[in-house]
Amino acid sequence: MRRLKKAYLEITNMCNLDCQFCPGTRRTKGVLSPEGFQTLGERLRPHTDYLYLHLMGEPLLHPHLAEILERAEKLKFRVMITTNGTLLGEREDLLCSSPAVEKVSISLHSFEGNEGVGTLEDYLAGCLAFARRSAGAGKKCALRLWNLDGEDTRGANARNGDILAALERDFPRPWREGRRGTTLAPGVFLEWGEKFDWPDLGAPEGDGAGFCYGLRDQVGVLWDGTVVPCCLDHEGDISLGNLYDQPLEEILSSPRAQAIYQGFSQGRVREALCRRCGYMRRFR
């Protein structure tokens, strides 16, 4: 039985924002039913402890999020949620009280990728209030700024300086710098990241050399059950099978999945979509 570090299960591909950095998806819009979550969750559970409730879409939009988290708790998943932060006020009680939720990541860079979503001050006030409360409830909260153009451009992108000033007011220094992020307070982290080009079949093709953790550390499942190699296959271009129809072990053992896995092991990129993935370049 293949064990994975994590699985991404998309509970909806709908979103309330239209971020400039996000490619969105042309797939049919939909939500995963609680019963569907139960079926797919049971099939993922033998393979991983960590379940990320997103791939595309804003998970806090899901109308039955409370029931999904209850089912995740009964399956003993450790749940991670990534959100744009705009709905935290409505979902704060649920996220802080759910035993299943281990970490909430807030994409603060989503503010600069939209227009007409209110003031930065109001947006940050809601996000940082949630960070404080969730940490007090024993959760982890990661504040993401994945909008850098290079390692030397911290604070140079749009409103990053204003965001950092707000963080310092709410979480006074000293901060503890780490390899994967900055600890602002117990349970509250700041994570920097560079901009990257999402995989796109219409993008220029790379040279075919490379490595990725897709199918090695992770797998993605779209809301309709389609299994994809990683969390960046936003259109389901590399469909390896459907988890409603086949067990995951069978899907991971398929010739196409094995070719992807073995190719990365040898430093070769087998899939056309992967050869057009900007994120994969950071593993070279």
Side-chain angles (χ1 to χ4, degrees):
M1 183 74 68
R2 176 90 65 84
R3 289 287 295 177
L4 302 165
K5 287 187 176 180
K6 55 193 171 184
Y8 292 85
L9 178 55
E10 179 185 77
I11 60 174
T12 180
N13 62 351
M14 297 187 293
C15 190
N16 61 329
L17 295 183
D18 185 20
C19 297
Q20 297 169 7
F21 59 82
C22 178
T25 179
R26 298 183 297 274
R27 290 181 284 120
T28 301
K29 303 299 183 185
V31 296
L32 179 63
S33 70
E35 296 76 19
F37 175 86
Q38 185 72 32
T39 298
L40 300 179
E42 288 176 354
R43 296 194 170 190
L44 287 170
R45 187 62 186 89
H47 298 270
T48 188
D49 298 328
Y50 291 91
L51 189 66
Y52 290 64
L53 297 186
H54 63 276
L55 200 141
M56 283 283 104
E58 169 54 59
L60 301 192
L61 276 175
H62 199 291
H64 304 295
L65 182 60
E67 183 175 352
I68 282 178
L69 290 177
E70 288 176 5
R71 290 175 182 263
E73 179 192 356
K74 290 178 181 177
L75 289 170
K76 302 188 186 311
F77 274 120
R78 301 169 73 171
V79 171
M80 313 290 175
I81 292 177
T82 296
T83 173
N84 59 42
T86 59
L87 301 176
L88 286 171
E90 302 172 25
R91 296 297 200 175
E92 183 174 334
D93 291 342
L94 172 61
L95 296 176
C96 290
S97 63
S98 171
V101 175
E102 179 164 317
K103 181 178 179 181
V104 176
S105 297
I106 307 172
S107 298
L108 296 182
H109 49 274
S110 63
F111 182 85
E112 73 175 31
N114 291 273
E115 296 180 1
V117 294
T119 67
L120 177 63
E121 291 72 21
D122 289 343
Y123 170 72
L124 287 177
C127 293
L128 301 188
F130 173 82
R132 288 192 300 272
R133 182 178 173 189
S134 65
K139 313 296 185 184
K140 298 175 184 176
C141 184
L143 306 169
R144 291 180 171 180
L145 283 174
W146 287 13
N147 59 359
L148 305 183
D149 294 318
E151 293 183 357
D152 298 326
T153 62
R154 294 190 180 192
N157 292 56
R159 305 298 299 276
N160 279 6
D162 297 328
I163 292 173
L164 288 172
L167 293 179
E168 291 191 39
R169 287 193 298 270
D170 275 50
F171 304 101
R173 293 180 183 268
W175 297 344
R176 189 172 76 250
E177 297 287 345
R179 183 174 62 87
R180 302 186 64 179
T182 303
T183 301
L184 307 185
V188 182
F189 310 93
L190 172 60
E191 297 179 350
W192 296 98
E194 294 184 23
K195 295 178 181 178
F196 62 89
D197 295 323
W198 285 69
D200 187 334
L201 287 173
E205 185 172 354
D207 60 10
F211 174 81
C212 180
Y213 290 97
L215 298 183
R216 188 173 305 271
D217 285 359
Q218 64 172 270
V219 71
V221 183
L222 306 182
W223 75 268
D224 63 357
T226 300
V227 176
V228 293
C230 77
C231 62
L232 296 181
D233 189 353
H234 54 102
E235 297 291 11
D237 289 312
I238 307 177
S239 174
L240 300 174
N242 194 292
L243 199 54
Y244 283 119
D245 302 327
Q246 297 173 271
L248 186 59
E249 189 69 21
E250 183 177 313
I251 293 173
L252 296 179
S253 301
S254 68
R256 189 177 188 183
Q258 283 296 300
I260 295 171
Y261 184 95
Q262 297 300 334
F264 285 138
S265 297
Q266 300 160 8
R268 304 303 301 171
V269 184
R270 303 298 185 190
E271 291 285 339
L273 182 70
C274 301
R275 293 194 293 271
R276 294 166 168 84
C277 177
Y279 192 86
M280 192 185 68
R281 296 191 189 106
R282 63 185 59 191
F283 301 129
R284 300 194 69 162

